[in-house]
Amino acid sequence: MALSIQHIIPKIGAEYHGKNPDATIDNVSIDSRSLQNNPLTLFFALVGPNNDAHIYIDELIGKGIQNFVVTNIPKDLGGKANFLKVKNTTEALQQFAVFYRNLYSFPVIGITGSNGKTIVKEWLNFLLSPDYNIIRSPKSYNSQVGVPLSVISINEKHNLGIFEAGISTINEMQKLEPIIRPTIGLLTNIGSAHDEGFANLGEKIKEKLKLFVDVDVLIYNKNKTIDAFIKNSKTFTWSCKDRNADVFISKKTILDKTLLHIDFGDHHFDLKIPFLDDASIENAIQCMMILLHFGYDYKTIESRMELLYPVEMRLKVKNGINNSTLIDDSYSSDFQSLKIALDFLESQKHHKKKTLILSDIFQSGLDKEELYAKVSQLIISNKINRVIGIGSTISEFKNKFLNSITFKNTEDFINAFDTLSFGNETILIKGARTFEFEKIVALLEEKTHETVLEINLNAISHNLNFFKSKLNPETKLMVMVKAFGYGNGGFEIAKLLEHHKVDYLGVAFADEGISLKTAGITTPIMVLNPENTSFPSIIQYQLEPEIYSVKGLNAFLKISEQKKLYHYPVHIKLDTGMHRLGFQENDLPELIATLKNTPSIKVKSILSHMATSDDLNQKQFALSQIDLFEKLSSNLMQELKINPIRHILNTSGISNFTEAQYDMVRLGIGLYGISNDAEEQHYLENVSTLKSIVSQIRTINEGESVGYGRRFMAEKTTKIATIPIGYADGISRSWGNGLGFVTINHQKAYIVGSICMDMLMVDCSEINCKEGDQVIIFGESPTVNLIAEKTHTIPYEILTSISQRVKRVFYRE
């Protein structure tokens, strides 16, 4: 990409204001945090419900960026850069993508549907890449912003595009269609995802079909429901039920594979695919239809389809050996996904030292010299300390990377592993599937037992933005990361929140804050329950204590005066009815007298905590707390002549008492996907999934028992699965004895007998499962809310009880 500003201005309907009208750009960005931004970047300042990128423009100019698409020019910045002023920056990004897409003319496969889009896209890339130079959506970039960013990555060497489009409501697809401009349409499975955005199934189908208004051919699974909405004259259909389809398919299972028999006009052939589940079979058939449309011979189709593989669509963060952290992206290696992975590395780095293990890059559309020059520049921009290249091609260009070592193949790396040093660093492992980098991950991953708690970082970001959308633009946000991030992991969550630029982090005790500061967190951290003995450490690590008693205030003042501090930030806690911690109304005269003329400290905020914000039956009590907080905090501010941050709302308060936002709110359990409001729960995404495996399966006879105390007695022949997780891992014993269940292969398996320290047993008589199969302890089913309800506790207790011996794995879709 090398485009002049003057060429772009009319395409996006912009009004030019600037100092260099002859400027050119060679990349586009919407992320102010990306280290890949440079003077040739065109930055679109997007505006969301609770985020406005215009506030970062001054900072970006300081970093050398000179070209911006804006809705307004920030004060005092006129003349300091090129500004392309538009009415809506998101629409301008889409218009730019339409213009850019029209610069190229080659076949483009457009994919939409409810399920399977990303997997079909990745499989098509694998199946077609031997013959085409493919540009495709990275990861699942299929949104109103993701689609434009995908298309803008096209270059002159590409001769086939594969782009996916996702929508959540009406009037979205008509914006994406001219950006993708597909010539071949592929409609995947229509399911229940995003049903809430449509009046009915028909409305959803009609909206998705808008992607295909101008395609040369539309491929889909023929059925009467979809047929009724099809207006394209040329379709290419398949079915396992309707013989009127262009391609009729019958299937049967052979061991661990599915045999498909294909009837295509006068042609008949068989092919095997390495999957048994219905979703994978349907996705594979969609890919086969594209190959048939492209005219591939049956032997080629069969040989390539048999090599299909499970697609890992997530970037995972794992604990590595020698206090290292791994980012596992070991299943793809292309230029666009490398850029995304490097941004993710920056947002999740746990150590100053950063290592990249990288295989040969495929399907860039660039010649090798240009490609590896660009890769080198990416690595320099992202301040990677060490590069380990694996592959014959990257080895040829070793001289382009500082502090690098290369190996011809993965086997050579493994053989040399003991001579390499890894520790106290963040390691991004980024490789094409053919290099089998999972072997490298296995070498570098810290060895723990097979029970893991998976934390979805996308879901945390979604939930954060959901609650931010309820706030006034000026309202600050503190997020609670106490108790090991509500059981989900402290540092990793804190790092993501810092990436999202929250205003404060909250912890209960000083050691939690010290751990985060030591790990490199720079966001201000409030300690909500500091012990007087921790005050020296709080000061040493620049934490900010909550002060809730005269005794505590005097203790902190004594230390602050000894250390000759000036305006050290503290936070004054008022008791407005919780009666747990805080100054009461009759304490205020002494508090005010003590705070006057104390230059060593500064009241940064005044806060209180609500006792019943989640219970609207006690709304009057909550309102009385708010009224008392207003009274007491106003008195403090007036007497001390200060204007601190005020905050009283917690998660439930944000939703139920929005009028009391004051200057800041404190988000806690809601970030982790839990709400006590059933309606609100629908809008939150599940963050934590506790997984284990089936260790052993046995069959017991009628009258035989299971577990301690023989609390389960079989009434018939019963198949029992043992799962390696127990109450030492945080599973309450009250969840056993037939009350609770786990999920194995999408089916409920009820817990039988008592839960043991390290194991529990389930009845899997009606489930087709085997040893080693995955087990969901909680997540989508059963939910944490359900477990809490059935065991008569609260979701907080379920999450925070998960032992730290359970490995946490963080991932991003």
Side-chain angles (χ1 to χ4, degrees), residues 447-460:
K447 306 304 182 283
T448 54
H449 69 125
E450 293 173 292
T451 295
V452 300
L453 183 66
E454 289 191 347
I455 294 96
N456 185 338
L457 297 176
N458 291 80
I460 287 179

Side-chain angles (χ1 to χ4, degrees), residues 20 93 183 260 293 335 458 474 496 540 561 610 612 649 676 709 719 744 774 778 801 813:
N20 183 12
L93 175 64
T183 57
L260 301 178
H293 173 69
F335 188 67
N458 291 80
E474 66 275 10
L496 179 64
Q540 179 184 350
E561 289 165 358
M610 299 178 72
T612 62
L649 298 185
N676 68 329
K719 188 168 68 170
I744 303 175
Q774 186 179 91
F778 65 63
S801 294
E813 298 287 358

Side-chain angles (χ1 to χ4, degrees), residues 680-699:
E680 185 173 80
Q681 187 66 54
H682 292 309
Y683 294 97
L684 300 180
E685 292 186 358
N686 179 64
V687 168
S688 308
T689 302
L690 183 58
K691 294 181 176 180
S692 192
I693 63 164
V694 175
S695 290
Q696 190 175 33
I697 295 176
R698 59 172 45 80
T699 299

Side-chain angles (χ1 to χ4, degrees), residues 381-451:
S381 298
N382 282 270
K383 301 175 183 176
I384 302 298
N385 302 95
R386 175 172 58 157
V387 177
I388 299 175
I390 299 178
S392 57
T393 306
I394 198 171
S395 296
E396 292 176 28
F397 294 92
K398 176 183 176 180
N399 64 329
K400 291 192 178 292
F401 309 106
L402 296 174
N403 193 22
S404 66
I405 182 173
T406 60
F407 300 92
K408 292 294 184 185
N409 52 52
T410 304
E411 194 68 28
D412 286 352
F413 170 87
I414 292 171
N415 291 336
F417 184 75
D418 291 339
T419 68
L420 302 171
S421 175
F422 295 96
N424 299 304
E425 60 192 306
T426 303
I427 306 166
L428 171 59
I429 303 168
K430 178 75 176 158
R433 182 180 175 274
T434 53
F435 283 86
E436 298 181 314
F437 270 19
E438 63 270 18
K439 295 177 180 177
I440 295 176
V441 174
L443 282 174
L444 288 169
E445 190 173 4
E446 183 181 58
K447 306 304 182 283
T448 54
H449 69 125
E450 293 173 292
T451 295

Side-chain angles (χ1 to χ4, degrees), residues 78 99 167 362 443 487 594 676 788:
F99 149 67
I167 55 171
F362 295 136
L443 282 174
T594 305
N676 68 329

Side-chain angles (χ1 to χ4, degrees), residues 60-170:
L60 290 170
I61 291 175
K63 293 179 178 179
I65 298 181
Q66 284 295 296
N67 303 291
F68 298 89
V69 179
V70 298
T71 57
N72 62 86
I73 301 172
K75 187 179 179 182
D76 300 327
L77 295 184
K80 292 187 176 181
N82 286 328
F83 293 100
L84 280 60
K85 189 176 177 183
V86 298
K87 290 182 179 179
N88 184 301
T89 48
T90 300
E91 291 179 2
L93 175 64
Q94 294 168 341
Q95 290 163 357
F96 177 81
V98 171
F99 149 67
Y100 192 78
R101 167 69 179 89
N102 287 332
L103 298 177
Y104 299 92
S105 179
F106 51 71
V108 170
I109 302 170
I111 306 172
T112 194
S114 301
N115 309 105
K117 297 184 293 293
T118 302
I119 292 172
V120 169
K121 178 198 67 189
E122 293 299 317
W123 281 352
L124 283 175
N125 178 68
F126 168 75
L127 293 166
L128 295 169
S129 59
D131 310 303
Y132 293 91
N133 209 338
I134 299 171
I135 175 68
R136 73 190 192 281
S137 311
K139 299 295 179 183
S140 54
Y141 270 39
N142 60 25
S143 66
Q144 297 290 304
V145 171
V147 169
L149 293 177
S150 300
V151 167
I152 290 167
S153 299
I154 296 172
N155 67 46
E156 292 76 8
K157 301 293 179 64
H158 293 125
N159 56 15
L160 177 65
I162 309 175
F163 299 109
E164 55 175 302
I167 55 171
S168 56
T169 189
I170 59 172

